[in-house]
Amino acid sequence: MLGFVLRRLLATVPVLVTVALLVFLMLRLTPGDPAAIMAGDNASAAQIAEIRAKLGLDQPILVQFAIWFGKVLQGDLGESFFFKTPVATLIAQRIGPTLALATTTMAITVLVAVPLGTLAAWRHGTLLDRFVMGFSVLGFSVPVFVLGYALIYVFAIQLQWLPVQGYRPLSAGLGPFLTQLALPSCALAVIYIALVARITRASLLEVLGEDHVRTARAKGLRESVVLLRHGLRNAAVPIVTVIGLGIALLIGGVVVTESVFNIPGLGRLTVDAVLGRDYPTIQGVILVFSALYVFINLVIDILYTFLDPRIRY
């Protein structure tokens, strides 16, 4: 088991290095001069050249990458052009709301989608099954920002049950924390509920048609035991996979959702950095998101070994 985990950890190293190189090149090769943007419209050529030299942009691109990557390994992600603050400090300040939103979203997703998919598979071909499939199609079809504005209009403006925008940390109390995250979490969870419910239904249907399930039913076991112990447990690998991928896909959804609901997280920081062409901040945020993505995939690989011991071999 330990050797399996170590091999997976070593496999993440070249992935992270490749991601760092691609992020660096992608931002350096895009049109626009960050030195000119920082200097302003009225700056002279000499002022722009001075800023470019201060940032090291006048050096060969390989030298720039070596210097930048060496600082990254030391935890130095540079200083934000726009906020005039170390990027690592900005990310530390903004990562809390993003993790909170992602956690509540996935909690809603798992608590709703897995039972829905299980019920749809159990009642295959019935009205309940058709309802779940219809909801899945609808969930995939409606953009997150449209659903977000619709929820704001109904629950915040018309009914006035929930606040429109903003964020309250958990330290302010569990009630205010959940109240502020209710609308954005539900808006973001719909598409993942649709995805996980469909995968749960398909995986469980496949397992329920196997011989060991028919044998369990022939023994007279209760249907709940057949579904949960012999069905859902053996269908867990693809379900865990799609849940892990859903967590990774939250990266894209968080950017839009945090902008709609004015949540001061990494998604909102990314939008501000892109609009201001703040290269160090964009690089730092993408690297953090990439590291989280790799870590999530590592956790999924390890979970596989518990769900199906044959995988480690």
Side-chain angles (χ1 to χ4, degrees):
M1 180 65 180
L2 181 60
F4 175 83
V5 174
L6 289 176
R7 288 195 301 271
R8 286 292 185 267
L9 283 173
L10 291 176
T12 62
V13 175
V15 174
L16 291 175
V17 173
T18 303
V19 169
L21 177 61
L22 291 176
V23 169
F24 179 85
L25 292 176
M26 179 179 64
L27 295 177
R28 284 298 191 279
L29 298 178
T30 52
D33 186 355
I37 295 172
M38 291 183 63
D41 296 333
N42 300 322
S44 63
Q47 291 174 324
I48 295 175
E50 182 181 353
I51 294 176
R52 188 179 293 111
K54 181 180 178 181
L55 297 175
L57 299 175
D58 57 340
Q59 300 182 23
I61 194 166
L62 290 178
V63 176
Q64 293 183 42
F65 176 73
I67 296 174
W68 173 77
F69 191 67
K71 291 181 179 179
V72 168
L73 292 178
Q74 299 173 19
D76 182 4
L77 299 176
E79 183 174 338
S80 169
F81 296 162
F82 185 76
F83 297 98
K84 308 299 181 183
T85 305
V87 175
T89 302
L90 281 175
I91 292 175
Q93 293 171 348
R94 300 291 192 98
I95 198 170
T98 298
L99 291 179
L101 177 58
T103 302
T104 53
T105 299
M106 291 314 299
I108 294 172
T109 299
V110 173
L111 291 175
V112 174
V114 175
L116 271 182
T118 303
L119 289 174
W122 178 46
R123 307 297 295 175
H124 174 59
T126 64
L127 185 62
L128 176 62
D129 184 23
R130 295 190 183 94
F131 170 77
V132 173
M133 290 301 97
F135 172 79
S136 298
V137 173
L138 184 64
F140 280 122
S141 304
V142 180
V144 174
F145 69 91
V146 172
L147 185 59
Y149 285 126
L151 291 176
I152 289 174
Y153 178 76
V154 174
F155 293 100
I157 297 177
Q158 295 295 324
L159 299 177
Q160 297 184 358
W161 289 352
L162 296 168
V164 178
Q165 295 178 330
Y167 171 76
R168 299 287 295 277
L170 187 57
S171 58
L174 182 61
F177 172 77
L178 295 177
T179 300
Q180 292 287 161
L181 288 177
L183 289 182
S185 297
C186 290
L188 195 54
V190 168
I191 186 172
Y192 300 108
I193 291 174
L195 176 64
V196 175
R198 288 180 68 93
I199 295 298
T200 301
R201 173 185 176 275
S203 302
L204 191 55
L205 275 177
E206 183 178 352
V207 172
L208 290 178
E210 294 182 358
D211 293 338
H212 70 276
V213 174
R214 287 194 291 268
T215 303
R217 281 174 171 157
K219 289 181 178 179
L221 296 179
R222 289 179 299 174
E223 192 65 20
S224 60
V225 175
V226 174
L227 279 175
L228 298 179
R229 184 181 300 175
H230 297 279
L232 193 59
R233 183 176 180 181
N234 287 282
V237 169
I239 297 173
V240 169
T241 301
V242 77
I243 290 175
L245 291 176
I247 297 174
L249 291 173
L250 276 173
I251 295 172
V254 158
V255 173
V256 177
T257 307
E258 287 184 357
S259 299
V260 171
F261 290 94
N262 195 25
I263 298 175
L266 290 181
R268 184 70 182 275
L269 179 63
T270 303
V271 174
D272 294 337
V274 170
L275 293 176
R277 299 190 70 84
D278 191 347
Y279 290 143
T281 303
I282 297 172
Q283 289 174 335
V285 172
I286 293 177
L287 284 176
V288 169
F289 279 148
S290 301
L292 288 174
Y293 185 89
V294 172
F295 174 75
I296 290 168
N297 279 277
L298 176 64
V299 172
I300 293 172
D301 284 344
I302 295 174
L303 286 176
Y304 285 165
T305 63
F306 293 98
L307 298 172
D308 189 349
R310 296 171 299 176
I311 292 176
R312 74 184 66 174
Y313 299 108

